[in-house]
Amino acid sequence: ADRNAKAAFQRDIAEFSRKIDGAGYLLREMGNKMRHIKEAIKMVEEPADGLMKEYYAIDMKMKDIRRDLYGDNIKTRLDIDQKPTPAGRVGWINYEQKYSTAEPTGTHKMSLEIAKEEFAPILAAIQKLANEDVENLEKKLEDLDAPYTPGRAIKMINRN
């Protein structure tokens, strides 16, 4: 077997696995932020129905993104077949490659390419959610003088 081809493929898969882990980390961080944001919204003096609606819309998007990346854990528990996800594909390739000395199969190569294609819009969606949706919600909280939430940039108050 061509050891170079195998080594190159394993590097490729390791690099891609790190990207998926990074995306998962971003989602968890955003999830933590959102928990604090929800509490802050509850403490706002003014009626916060609009903010809560926005919160739930973001929360829903996060759940969809998580499902696109990792699959549906309820379906997994119930053993219902579901469409392969980028994380699932990579896990499977890693598992099959681990004990194999042969170079990667055509299926593995194709599966990795598909995973990369599927992952690109998922990562873009995570970044948009973090940099636009969550940030806009944080700005609104800031403008309402809501209690501080972790990771929120504090606007400079200039009182003369």
Side-chain angles (χ1 to χ4, degrees):
D2 181 356
R3 298 233 320 263
N4 288 346
K6 182 170 173 64
F9 184 74
Q10 284 178 324
R11 272 196 306 275
D12 201 8
I13 212 97
E15 184 54 42
F16 186 60
S17 292
R18 273 197 297 277
K19 286 182 181 159
I20 286 183
D21 292 344
Y25 176 77
L26 284 174
L27 276 172
R28 282 192 301 280
E29 285 286 283
M30 219 183 324
N32 290 336
K33 248 187 184 189
M34 289 291 283
R35 272 204 301 282
H36 293 288
I37 286 174
K38 188 179 191 179
E39 290 312 305
I41 291 173
K42 288 178 185 169
M43 294 186 214
V44 170
E45 311 272 315
E46 297 158 47
D49 303 349
L51 290 178
M52 249 332 167
K53 244 187 222 125
E54 219 170 303
Y55 166 85
Y56 283 115
I58 293 171
D59 195 50
M60 207 58 229
K61 281 186 198 168
M62 276 175 55
K63 285 190 174 93
D64 289 343
I65 290 170
R66 205 172 288 121
R67 195 178 45 243
D68 290 344
L69 184 57
Y70 296 114
D72 185 327
N73 54 9
I74 291 168
K75 281 186 178 173
T76 304
R77 276 205 300 275
L78 298 175
D79 207 25
I80 297 169
D81 276 344
Q82 47 184 319
K83 183 172 132 354
T85 62
R89 287 180 195 279
V90 167
W92 187 246
I93 297 169
N94 269 327
Y95 172 77
E96 289 197 338
Q97 280 283 309
K98 197 173 193 166
Y99 303 105
S100 158
T101 51
E103 59 185 281
T105 64
T107 306
H108 286 169
K109 290 176 183 164
M110 193 175 72
S111 200
L112 178 58
E113 286 317 304
I114 293 170
K116 286 179 177 178
E117 267 170 43
E118 291 171 340
F119 180 67
I122 293 173
L123 183 59
I126 292 172
Q127 289 166 331
K128 183 182 187 304
L129 209 53
N131 301 330
E132 291 173 27
D133 305 38
V134 175
E135 226 167 78
N136 289 340
L137 187 51
E138 287 175 325
K139 278 192 189 92
K140 287 177 186 172
L141 285 173
E142 196 60 53
D143 292 340
L144 290 170
D145 294 321
Y148 175 71
T149 54
R152 189 166 99 208
I154 297 181
K155 67 178 178 196
M156 298 308 290
I157 300 163
N158 184 8
R159 292 200 172 109
N160 301 1

